[in-house]
Amino acid sequence: MHSRLMVMEDGKDFGTVVRINQTRYPTMRFLQFFLMFIVLGLGVSIISMNTIRYFGVRSTAPVVSPVSTVQPRLEEPSGNGIDSWIKPPSNLLHSMSDQELLWRASFVPQVKEYPFKRVRKIAFMFLTKGPLPMAPLWQRFFKDHEGLYSIYVHTAPSYIADFPPSSVFYKRQIPSQVAEWGEMNMCDAERRLLANALLDISNEWFILLSEACVPLHSFSTVYRYIARSRYSFVDSFDEQGPYGRGRYNRNMAPEINLTDWRKGYQWFEVNRELAVKIVKDQTYYPLFKEFCRPACYVDEHYFQTMLSIESPNLLANRSLTFVDWSRGGAHPATFGKYDITEEFFKKLFESKRCLYNDQPSSLCFLFARKFAPSALDRLLEVAQKVMGF
């Protein structure tokens, strides 16, 4: 309107003014249409965003990753619940090194109450060079007691066991290394057995045996005897002579003093607490490895001394395995088929009195060694009457 007045004041024709303004109206309509298009577009965009947010509709447009366009797909773990912790390993032939194995086996739950029904088992650990000639006798011993025991076999690394699927020893061989009598690698083998057995959270007691060992009583008797005991059965005593304290090396002090030095049979039974102490030990192991070499036989002193220092109140200071040293020499007597009689076992059972839970007892041995392969048939014949299985 103001433009019109200006034109009129300048004396120009009114018709000209009208034509000029008429040429501007299409431009204004275009701007209005364009603004409406923009508003409509914004509205559609807002509606689309709300639809995605509330209805989960995903855009089909490709998304470019800022790192990589291809990401590896990780398999979901087979078990991410409690079963992955409490279920024993299905395959004993793992690829862990000794260092990794001992580290893994040293894990201890800090909450004492288990969040599942835990049936306590005995781990029977066989330390052998090769075959187990007494396997048929042990097969009978374990019969009908599944779920109350576990078996672990440490052999020479070159030996491949060929037990049939029906055998309790089938696939129970663990990754093994050379173990030599009187050398530190013998104790390494025992720690390896303990560590593998500790991977099963239900194993509560651990018994070290050899291929020449036999059970003297039924499984029920053995289980009850061990489960009710307040102590672990590690033979440990202070021997004054050259074969006891005479093997002590002063370089072991101050961690191990002469008065701490102990000796005992190699064949032991320990509970889970002591088993963990053995596999996690980094204090005494280096000392024995360096300073206890033949004629210091480390398998007669290492665990015996260490546990006597660490947990003397948990030890019965005797072994559950009968060994006959009466014939003298560096090795115990070996029993053949002609030794296996009812009278033989009667003398064995009556050979010793001991303390069980601090009370006198005539039941002192649950196992015995050494038995030659030739004794197997006779042992099977008398097992039911003499041993109770």
Short mmCIF file of all heavy atoms in Angstrom, two decimals, residues 319-350:
data_model
loop_
_atom_site.label_atom_id
_atom_site.label_comp_id
_atom_site.label_asym_id
_atom_site.label_seq_id
_atom_site.Cartn_x
_atom_site.Cartn_y
_atom_site.Cartn_z
N SER A 319 49.94 -92.88 58.05
CA SER A 319 49.41 -93.19 56.72
C SER A 319 48.32 -94.23 56.81
O SER A 319 48.29 -95.05 57.73
CB SER A 319 50.55 -93.69 55.82
OG SER A 319 50.04 -94.11 54.56
N LEU A 320 47.41 -94.21 55.84
CA LEU A 320 46.36 -95.23 55.75
C LEU A 320 46.80 -96.42 54.92
O LEU A 320 46.04 -97.39 54.78
CB LEU A 320 45.11 -94.62 55.13
CG LEU A 320 44.37 -93.56 55.95
CD1 LEU A 320 43.18 -93.01 55.15
CD2 LEU A 320 43.90 -94.13 57.29
N THR A 321 48.01 -96.38 54.38
CA THR A 321 48.50 -97.44 53.49
C THR A 321 49.55 -98.28 54.20
O THR A 321 50.59 -97.76 54.63
CB THR A 321 49.09 -96.84 52.21
OG1 THR A 321 48.09 -96.06 51.54
CG2 THR A 321 49.57 -97.93 51.27
N PHE A 322 49.28 -99.57 54.29
CA PHE A 322 50.22 -100.50 54.92
C PHE A 322 51.38 -100.79 53.96
O PHE A 322 51.18 -101.07 52.78
CB PHE A 322 49.51 -101.81 55.26
CG PHE A 322 50.44 -102.90 55.71
CD1 PHE A 322 50.87 -102.97 57.03
CD2 PHE A 322 50.90 -103.85 54.81
CE1 PHE A 322 51.75 -103.97 57.45
CE2 PHE A 322 51.76 -104.85 55.21
CZ PHE A 322 52.19 -104.91 56.53
N VAL A 323 52.60 -100.70 54.51
CA VAL A 323 53.82 -101.03 53.76
C VAL A 323 54.71 -101.84 54.67
O VAL A 323 54.89 -101.50 55.85
CB VAL A 323 54.55 -99.76 53.28
CG1 VAL A 323 55.78 -100.13 52.45
CG2 VAL A 323 53.63 -98.86 52.47
N ASP A 324 55.27 -102.93 54.15
CA ASP A 324 56.11 -103.82 54.95
C ASP A 324 57.59 -103.54 54.69
O ASP A 324 58.11 -103.82 53.61
CB ASP A 324 55.80 -105.28 54.60
CG ASP A 324 56.59 -106.27 55.45
OD1 ASP A 324 57.29 -105.82 56.38
OD2 ASP A 324 56.52 -107.48 55.18
N TRP A 325 58.25 -102.95 55.70
CA TRP A 325 59.68 -102.66 55.60
C TRP A 325 60.51 -103.66 56.40
O TRP A 325 61.72 -103.47 56.58
CB TRP A 325 59.97 -101.25 56.13
CG TRP A 325 59.41 -100.16 55.27
CD1 TRP A 325 58.21 -99.54 55.40
CD2 TRP A 325 60.04 -99.59 54.11
NE1 TRP A 325 58.04 -98.60 54.41
CE2 TRP A 325 59.15 -98.61 53.61
CE3 TRP A 325 61.26 -99.81 53.46
CZ2 TRP A 325 59.44 -97.83 52.49
CZ3 TRP A 325 61.54 -99.03 52.34
CH2 TRP A 325 60.65 -98.06 51.86
N SER A 326 59.90 -104.72 56.85
CA SER A 326 60.59 -105.65 57.76
C SER A 326 61.73 -106.42 57.10
O SER A 326 62.62 -106.92 57.78
CB SER A 326 59.58 -106.65 58.34
OG SER A 326 59.01 -107.45 57.31
N ARG A 327 61.71 -106.49 55.78
CA ARG A 327 62.75 -107.25 55.09
C ARG A 327 64.01 -106.42 54.84
O ARG A 327 65.00 -106.93 54.32
CB ARG A 327 62.20 -107.78 53.75
CG ARG A 327 60.99 -108.67 53.93
CD ARG A 327 60.46 -109.18 52.59
NE ARG A 327 59.19 -109.87 52.73
CZ ARG A 327 58.51 -110.43 51.73
NH1 ARG A 327 59.00 -110.38 50.50
NH2 ARG A 327 57.36 -111.04 51.95
N GLY A 328 63.95 -105.12 55.20
CA GLY A 328 65.13 -104.26 55.02
C GLY A 328 65.30 -103.82 53.58
O GLY A 328 64.57 -104.23 52.68
N GLY A 329 66.30 -102.96 53.37
CA GLY A 329 66.58 -102.47 52.02
C GLY A 329 65.92 -101.14 51.74
O GLY A 329 65.20 -100.58 52.57
N ALA A 330 66.18 -100.63 50.54
CA ALA A 330 65.67 -99.32 50.15
C ALA A 330 64.22 -99.35 49.72
O ALA A 330 63.58 -98.29 49.64
CB ALA A 330 66.52 -98.76 49.00
N HIS A 331 63.69 -100.54 49.45
CA HIS A 331 62.31 -100.65 48.99
C HIS A 331 61.55 -101.64 49.86
O HIS A 331 62.13 -102.61 50.39
CB HIS A 331 62.27 -101.10 47.53
CG HIS A 331 62.97 -100.14 46.60
ND1 HIS A 331 62.40 -98.97 46.17
CD2 HIS A 331 64.21 -100.19 46.04
CE1 HIS A 331 63.24 -98.33 45.38
NE2 HIS A 331 64.35 -99.05 45.28
N PRO A 332 60.24 -101.44 50.02
CA PRO A 332 59.44 -102.35 50.85
C PRO A 332 59.23 -103.70 50.18
O PRO A 332 59.51 -103.88 48.99
CB PRO A 332 58.12 -101.60 51.01
CG PRO A 332 58.02 -100.75 49.79
CD PRO A 332 59.43 -100.34 49.47
N ALA A 333 58.70 -104.62 50.94
CA ALA A 333 58.44 -105.97 50.44
C ALA A 333 57.35 -105.95 49.38
O ALA A 333 56.42 -105.15 49.43
CB ALA A 333 58.04 -106.88 51.59
N THR A 334 57.47 -106.88 48.41
CA THR A 334 56.45 -107.07 47.38
C THR A 334 55.79 -108.42 47.60
O THR A 334 56.47 -109.44 47.76
CB THR A 334 57.06 -107.01 45.98
OG1 THR A 334 57.66 -105.73 45.77
CG2 THR A 334 56.00 -107.24 44.92
N PHE A 335 54.45 -108.44 47.59
CA PHE A 335 53.70 -109.66 47.85
C PHE A 335 53.22 -110.27 46.54
O PHE A 335 52.61 -109.60 45.71
CB PHE A 335 52.52 -109.36 48.77
CG PHE A 335 52.92 -108.68 50.05
CD1 PHE A 335 52.56 -107.36 50.30
CD2 PHE A 335 53.66 -109.35 51.02
CE1 PHE A 335 52.93 -106.73 51.47
CE2 PHE A 335 54.04 -108.72 52.20
CZ PHE A 335 53.67 -107.40 52.42
N GLY A 336 53.48 -111.58 46.38
CA GLY A 336 53.04 -112.32 45.20
C GLY A 336 51.86 -113.22 45.52
O GLY A 336 51.29 -113.17 46.62
N LYS A 337 51.51 -114.09 44.56
CA LYS A 337 50.31 -114.90 44.72
C LYS A 337 50.40 -115.87 45.89
O LYS A 337 49.38 -116.20 46.52
CB LYS A 337 50.00 -115.65 43.43
CG LYS A 337 51.07 -116.64 43.00
CD LYS A 337 50.65 -117.33 41.71
CE LYS A 337 51.69 -118.34 41.24
NZ LYS A 337 51.25 -119.01 40.00
N TYR A 338 51.60 -116.33 46.23
CA TYR A 338 51.73 -117.29 47.32
C TYR A 338 51.65 -116.64 48.69
O TYR A 338 51.53 -117.33 49.70
CB TYR A 338 53.04 -118.07 47.17
CG TYR A 338 53.11 -118.87 45.89
CD1 TYR A 338 53.98 -118.53 44.88
CD2 TYR A 338 52.26 -119.97 45.70
CE1 TYR A 338 54.04 -119.26 43.70
CE2 TYR A 338 52.30 -120.69 44.52
CZ TYR A 338 53.19 -120.34 43.52
OH TYR A 338 53.24 -121.07 42.34
N ASP A 339 51.71 -115.33 48.72
CA ASP A 339 51.54 -114.63 50.00
C ASP A 339 50.08 -114.37 50.34
O ASP A 339 49.76 -114.09 51.50
CB ASP A 339 52.27 -113.27 49.93
CG ASP A 339 53.76 -113.40 49.78
OD1 ASP A 339 54.39 -114.06 50.64
OD2 ASP A 339 54.31 -112.85 48.81
N ILE A 340 49.22 -114.47 49.35
CA ILE A 340 47.82 -114.07 49.54
C ILE A 340 47.02 -115.21 50.15
O ILE A 340 46.55 -116.13 49.45
CB ILE A 340 47.20 -113.63 48.20
CG1 ILE A 340 48.10 -112.60 47.52
CG2 ILE A 340 45.81 -113.04 48.44
CD1 ILE A 340 48.43 -111.40 48.36
N THR A 341 46.86 -115.13 51.46
CA THR A 341 46.05 -116.10 52.20
C THR A 341 45.20 -115.35 53.21
O THR A 341 45.46 -114.17 53.51
CB THR A 341 46.94 -117.12 52.94
OG1 THR A 341 47.74 -116.42 53.92
CG2 THR A 341 47.85 -117.87 51.97
N GLU A 342 44.23 -116.02 53.75
CA GLU A 342 43.42 -115.39 54.79
C GLU A 342 44.26 -115.08 56.02
O GLU A 342 44.06 -114.05 56.68
CB GLU A 342 42.25 -116.32 55.16
CG GLU A 342 41.23 -116.48 54.04
CD GLU A 342 40.06 -117.35 54.46
OE1 GLU A 342 39.79 -117.43 55.69
OE2 GLU A 342 39.41 -117.95 53.59
N GLU A 343 45.21 -115.95 56.32
CA GLU A 343 46.10 -115.73 57.46
C GLU A 343 46.95 -114.48 57.25
O GLU A 343 47.21 -113.73 58.20
CB GLU A 343 46.99 -116.95 57.66
CG GLU A 343 47.87 -116.88 58.90
CD GLU A 343 47.08 -116.89 60.19
OE1 GLU A 343 45.92 -117.36 60.19
OE2 GLU A 343 47.62 -116.41 61.22
N PHE A 344 47.38 -114.27 56.03
CA PHE A 344 48.17 -113.08 55.70
C PHE A 344 47.41 -111.81 56.06
O PHE A 344 47.94 -110.88 56.69
CB PHE A 344 48.52 -113.09 54.21
CG PHE A 344 49.06 -111.79 53.69
CD1 PHE A 344 50.41 -111.48 53.84
CD2 PHE A 344 48.23 -110.88 53.04
CE1 PHE A 344 50.91 -110.27 53.35
CE2 PHE A 344 48.73 -109.68 52.55
CZ PHE A 344 50.07 -109.37 52.71
N PHE A 345 46.14 -111.74 55.68
CA PHE A 345 45.34 -110.55 55.95
C PHE A 345 44.99 -110.43 57.43
O PHE A 345 44.90 -109.33 57.98
CB PHE A 345 44.07 -110.55 55.10
CG PHE A 345 44.33 -110.20 53.66
CD1 PHE A 345 44.42 -111.18 52.69
CD2 PHE A 345 44.50 -108.87 53.29
CE1 PHE A 345 44.67 -110.86 51.37
CE2 PHE A 345 44.75 -108.53 51.96
CZ PHE A 345 44.84 -109.52 51.00
N LYS A 346 44.82 -111.56 58.09
CA LYS A 346 44.53 -111.50 59.52
C LYS A 346 45.69 -110.86 60.27
O LYS A 346 45.48 -110.01 61.15
CB LYS A 346 44.27 -112.91 60.04
CG LYS A 346 43.92 -112.96 61.52
CD LYS A 346 43.65 -114.38 61.99
CE LYS A 346 43.32 -114.42 63.48
NZ LYS A 346 43.08 -115.81 63.96
N LYS A 347 46.91 -111.25 59.92
CA LYS A 347 48.09 -110.66 60.56
C LYS A 347 48.21 -109.18 60.22
O LYS A 347 48.60 -108.37 61.06
CB LYS A 347 49.35 -111.41 60.12
CG LYS A 347 49.47 -112.82 60.68
CD LYS A 347 50.76 -113.47 60.22
CE LYS A 347 50.91 -114.87 60.80
NZ LYS A 347 52.16 -115.53 60.34
N LEU A 348 47.88 -108.85 58.99
CA LEU A 348 47.98 -107.45 58.57
C LEU A 348 47.00 -106.59 59.37
O LEU A 348 47.36 -105.51 59.86
CB LEU A 348 47.68 -107.36 57.07
CG LEU A 348 47.97 -106.05 56.34
CD1 LEU A 348 48.13 -106.32 54.85
CD2 LEU A 348 46.89 -105.01 56.56
N PHE A 349 45.77 -107.08 59.53
CA PHE A 349 44.76 -106.30 60.25
C PHE A 349 45.10 -106.14 61.73
O PHE A 349 44.72 -105.15 62.36
CB PHE A 349 43.39 -106.94 60.10
CG PHE A 349 42.86 -106.92 58.68
CD1 PHE A 349 42.07 -107.96 58.21
CD2 PHE A 349 43.14 -105.87 57.83
CE1 PHE A 349 41.57 -107.95 56.92
CE2 PHE A 349 42.66 -105.84 56.53
CZ PHE A 349 41.87 -106.88 56.07
N GLU A 350 45.81 -107.11 62.27
CA GLU A 350 46.13 -107.08 63.69
C GLU A 350 47.53 -106.54 63.97
O GLU A 350 47.97 -106.54 65.12
CB GLU A 350 46.02 -108.50 64.27
CG GLU A 350 44.61 -109.09 64.20
CD GLU A 350 44.56 -110.54 64.63
OE1 GLU A 350 45.66 -111.11 64.87
OE2 GLU A 350 43.46 -111.10 64.75
#
